[in-house]
Amino acid sequence: GDTVRLGAGVYSDTVPLVAYGLPRQALLLLDKAVTVVGAGRDQTVLSALPSAVYTFGIAGVGVDSSAAVSDLTIAGACFQGINLRGASPRLDRLDVVNDPTGGSSVACDLRDGSFAIVRDCLLDGGHTALVVEFGSAGRFVRCTIGARPNDGLICNDGSPVLEDCVFAGAGRDVLVLTQGSQPVLRACRIADGGAHAVRVALYPAGSRIDLSGNRWFSDDPAVIRARIRDATVDPALGATVVIEPFDDSVPARTRGLGDLKALFR
């Protein structure tokens, strides 16, 4: 039930932890029912030193929604700006701008059944901005998914809900969807990528991914379709992406997944 308030400044001290069976470290390790509040994104900065290999900015393992972090920036040489494993914290007003390190660094990684509530955050670090995998979901509201050198969002057996978010682009693919992932994107703005806007793989034959109700980089469906790699291009990919234009008459913001299902089924 305590709230920890971090004053303005740059914090680089780390806490040791074990992740994936190996020694790692974190700038902030979440604890159940503890809220951490910074002085503001431009004032409180958690920054990993270049010498701190495999550092997580914010790490959460097994914590629920009673854990929360808000109003600060994650920067420096973090291998992952946010790393959640079976964790469901509330994250508000965070800037994650960690440098690309190693071969697969990300701004935010949800895995192992994580379901975070992420609001008004900038995810613009690492080689890839956001990864949701291994049975994870989460709800992202008014977030910016930065234009990273590799990919914007990777869903690997993940089904996040993203509402009113901005996908700024990517060096390769803006959306990478695999292993039967079913993300829900509504009222999002989606830019193009260097390779594709959307790429799917490893879906059962005949699968359907509905990405309707968003604003794309073009008003021409044929232009958008040409930038989507799915079963219409290669039947072995298994899934077909469905796109329909954004309808301004439909409310862009809802209160939960049940509302989304009711509005867009």
Side-chain angles (χ1 to χ4, degrees), residues 23-103:
R24 297 287 187 261
Q25 49 199 354
L27 295 164
L28 174 61
L29 183 59
L30 301 183
D31 200 359
K32 184 177 180 180
V34 174
T35 297
V36 178
V37 181
R41 319 185 200 215
D42 59 340
Q43 297 187 61
T44 301
V45 180
L46 309 184
S47 183
L49 300 174
S51 59
V53 180
Y54 294 121
T55 296
F56 302 141
I58 296 173
V61 184
V63 297
D64 59 21
S65 60
S66 65
V69 184
S70 65
D71 301 295
L72 53 80
T73 289
I74 303 294
C78 295
F79 182 67
Q80 295 184 348
I82 299 171
N83 174 272
L84 302 179
R85 287 167 285 138
S88 304
R90 293 172 289 117
L91 307 175
D92 293 277
R93 298 178 301 280
L94 305 177
D95 283 356
V96 185
V97 292
N98 53 307
D99 302 328
T101 59

Side-chain angles (χ1 to χ4, degrees), residues 168-210:
R172 296 192 310 203
D173 305 312
V174 178
L175 303 176
V176 180
L177 312 177
T178 69
Q179 299 286 357
S181 295
Q182 288 293 338
V184 175
L185 277 65
R186 292 291 181 260
C188 294
R189 286 183 286 159
I190 305 173
D192 199 2
H196 309 95
V198 184
R199 177 170 60 87
V200 308
L202 303 174
Y203 278 79
S207 298
R208 183 176 180 270
I209 303 169
D210 190 350

Side-chain angles (χ1 to χ4, degrees), residues 108-125:
C108 181
D109 186 357
L110 276 64
R111 55 172 58 205
D112 304 333
S114 293
F115 193 107
I117 305 298
V118 185
R119 295 173 293 200
D120 300 299
C121 291
L122 170 65
L123 306 178
D124 194 23

Side-chain angles (χ1 to χ4, degrees), residues 233-254:
V233 177
D234 180 358
L237 299 176
T240 300
V241 175
V242 178
I243 56 171
E244 297 291 343
F246 179 79
D247 184 352
D248 286 309
S249 68
V250 176
R253 296 175 187 172
T254 58

